[in-house]
Structures are given as C-alpha cells and as structure tokens.
Amino acid sequence: MNTFLIILTGSFVAASCGFLGCFLILRRMAMLGDAISHAILPGIVIAFLFSGSREILPMLIGAALIGLITVFIVQLLHQSGVKSDAAIGVTFTALFSVGVVLVSLFTQQVDLDLDCVLYGEIAYVPWDTWQWGGFDMGPRALWGIGSVFFFSLVVIGLFFKQFKLCSFDPALAAAIGIPVVLFHYLLMTLVSLTTVAAFESVGAILVVAMLVVPSATAYLLTDRLHHMLLISMGVGILSAVFGYFLASFLDSSIAGAMTSVAGLLFLLAFFFSPRHGMLFKAIARRKVSIGEL
C-alpha cells in the first residue's frame, strides 16, 4: 500500500508539473518556472510564521502571493531595460536568499528546514496523513498536489483557447480582446500553487526538473498542443513509476531517481524522435547528400 501511495503522489507531482510546463516551454519561459519554484520560499516561511502549522492552505496562499510578486518584479525589470535572463536571475536569487535567511532564523519555531524545502522526501508521504473528523483521510501531500492538479485542469480546460492563443501568438490574442496579462498571471499562479504543493514530496529543486523535462520531451514528439499535454503527463507518470523501482533497486533517492528517468526519456526523444530526433535528422541529411551526388 505504501508503495502505491508513493508512486501515486509522484505521478501527481510529475503530471501536474509537466502539464503546466508545456505552456512555459511554448512561451519560452521555462526558467521563470525555476525562478518561481525558488522565490516562493519566503512566502512559505512567512505563511508558517503566521499560521504556526504546516497546513497546505496557508502555504498555498503565501506561495501564490510571492509567485505573483516574482513575476511582477521580473517584468518590471525587463521593461526597464534589464535582459530577461538577468531579471529572472536577480529576482529569484534575491528572494530565495531572503527565504534562506528566514528559515535560518525561525527554523526552531516552525517545523521547516532547508532539506525539507529543497530536497523533500517522498518516502515519508504515507505516514504524514490528514485527519478530518477523526478519520484518517490519507497522505496530506497526496491531497494537496491532487487538489491543485485537478484545479489546474479545470482552469486550463475552461480557458484552453485563451491560454493556447496567448502562448502561440500573444499579439493576436491582445488584438482580439483577450486579456493577455491576466492569463499570464493566472498561469503563474497555477505554477506557484503546484510548486508549493509538490514541496513535501520532491522539494523545490526537483520540481524544476519536472516542470521542464517531461514537457520538453513532449515538445520533441509532437507539434499539436493537445498531444503535447497528454504526452507530457504520460512521461511524468512513467518517470514516477520507473523512478520508484529504480530507487528501490539502487537504494537511492526516490525523487532523484524519478528525475533521472525523466532525463533518460528526454534523451531517447532527443535522439530518436521521428521528426526532431538527431538520428532521423542525420539520416535525412545523408539522403539529401546522396541525392545531390
């Protein structure tokens, strides 16, 4: 049963991160997901200090607010003439450093440490349960990431056309009256909520990989957004399942093994993708050169 709960939690984390990561990849904002995943640390610590507990709701609120502030600061710096990558780097390192200082100052007052935030430990998920009305409702992390995942599905599903057009052609979206800025911040809010919900299972560092690697793999395998979303979630789930058994075989970090499997799947797509793979591109070039001869 514990094995199933661990795999299920990892699958929800990978699928939810991969789902939203597709839009980040299409917008060429993959590193902004990295920035948000690190910058929301002070929001989590402040939420702990105010609530005095590890309940998921205060953490989500704190993370969402800091995530939006991060996006606002990055855009403000970029519009002021700072290059996009520099704006992202300055913003998330500054906010993350503030979070580290807060953790160092108040780690004895709240049940939070850097290992918990940065690395997580998915193996402990089955024992950290949510009690409601005297009943054991199951792992708290599973409820948290599951709720955020389904919330993201509902929001993206309701406004799929708007998100799609804003990702591919924001100028056209603005021209026909779609509030591009609103949907931009809505997407960043979903990324912030997903990131903090995944903290308890995989930690901040590995969330970054799950936001980028499954969606980048899907990007190599299809040119249709619907298919890209499904493939990205599928790659994430496969990474969680095979990563768990790899970690059991090697007696190593479960979250690290899941990310390693995701990286391996990306390499397979990078070399063997029918349309964008290096192998098929080399074969096509060779055929062209032979035809010219």
Side-chain angles (χ1 to χ4, degrees), residues 218-270:
Y219 185 79
L220 292 173
L221 296 175
T222 182
D223 294 326
R224 298 180 65 86
L225 181 56
H226 287 85
H227 296 164
M228 184 179 177
L229 293 172
L230 293 175
I231 292 173
S232 180
M233 289 190 289
V235 169
I237 293 172
L238 287 176
S239 301
V241 174
F242 288 105
Y244 175 82
F245 291 109
L246 177 63
S248 299
F249 177 75
L250 298 176
D251 192 21
S252 63
S253 167
I254 298 175
M258 289 178 178
T259 305
S260 298
V261 172
L264 178 60
L265 293 176
F266 172 79
L267 287 177
L268 291 174
F270 180 74

Side-chain angles (χ1 to χ4, degrees), residues 36-64:
I36 291 176
S37 66
H38 286 76
I40 61 177
L41 177 58
I44 294 174
V45 179
I46 293 172
F48 267 114
L49 294 177
F50 275 100
S51 65
S53 68
R54 294 180 57 189
E55 294 298 324
I56 191 67
L57 183 59
M59 290 168 46
L60 290 175
I61 295 174

Side-chain angles (χ1 to χ4, degrees), residues 62-79:
L65 291 176
I66 296 297
L68 293 177
I69 291 173
T70 301
V71 176
F72 176 77
I73 294 175
V74 169
Q75 286 195 333
L76 181 63
L77 293 175
H78 183 55
Q79 292 173 355

Side-chain angles (χ1 to χ4, degrees), residues 38-155:
H38 286 76
I40 61 177
L41 177 58
I44 294 174
V45 179
I46 293 172
F48 267 114
L49 294 177
F50 275 100
S51 65
S53 68
R54 294 180 57 189
E55 294 298 324
I56 191 67
L57 183 59
M59 290 168 46
L60 290 175
I61 295 174
L65 291 176
I66 296 297
L68 293 177
I69 291 173
T70 301
V71 176
F72 176 77
I73 294 175
V74 169
Q75 286 195 333
L76 181 63
L77 293 175
H78 183 55
Q79 292 173 355
S80 301
V82 181
K83 289 188 177 295
S84 180
D85 56 346
I88 291 174
V90 169
T91 303
F92 97 79
T93 52
L95 290 175
F96 185 67
S97 299
V98 171
V100 171
V101 171
L102 292 175
V103 170
S104 301
L105 290 175
F106 300 107
T107 187
Q108 294 181 354
Q109 281 74 31
V110 294
D111 185 16
L112 181 69
D113 57 63
L114 290 178
D115 287 340
C116 170
V117 172
L118 294 177
Y119 309 115
E121 184 45 75
I122 196 170
Y124 297 153
V125 164
W127 288 275
D128 185 11
T129 59
W130 173 38
Q131 303 293 327
W132 184 64
F135 295 96
D136 187 345
M137 304 299 294
R140 194 159 55 92
L142 181 58
W143 278 98
I145 189 61
S147 300
V148 172
F149 178 47
F150 286 114
F151 177 69
S152 299
L153 288 178
V154 170
V155 172

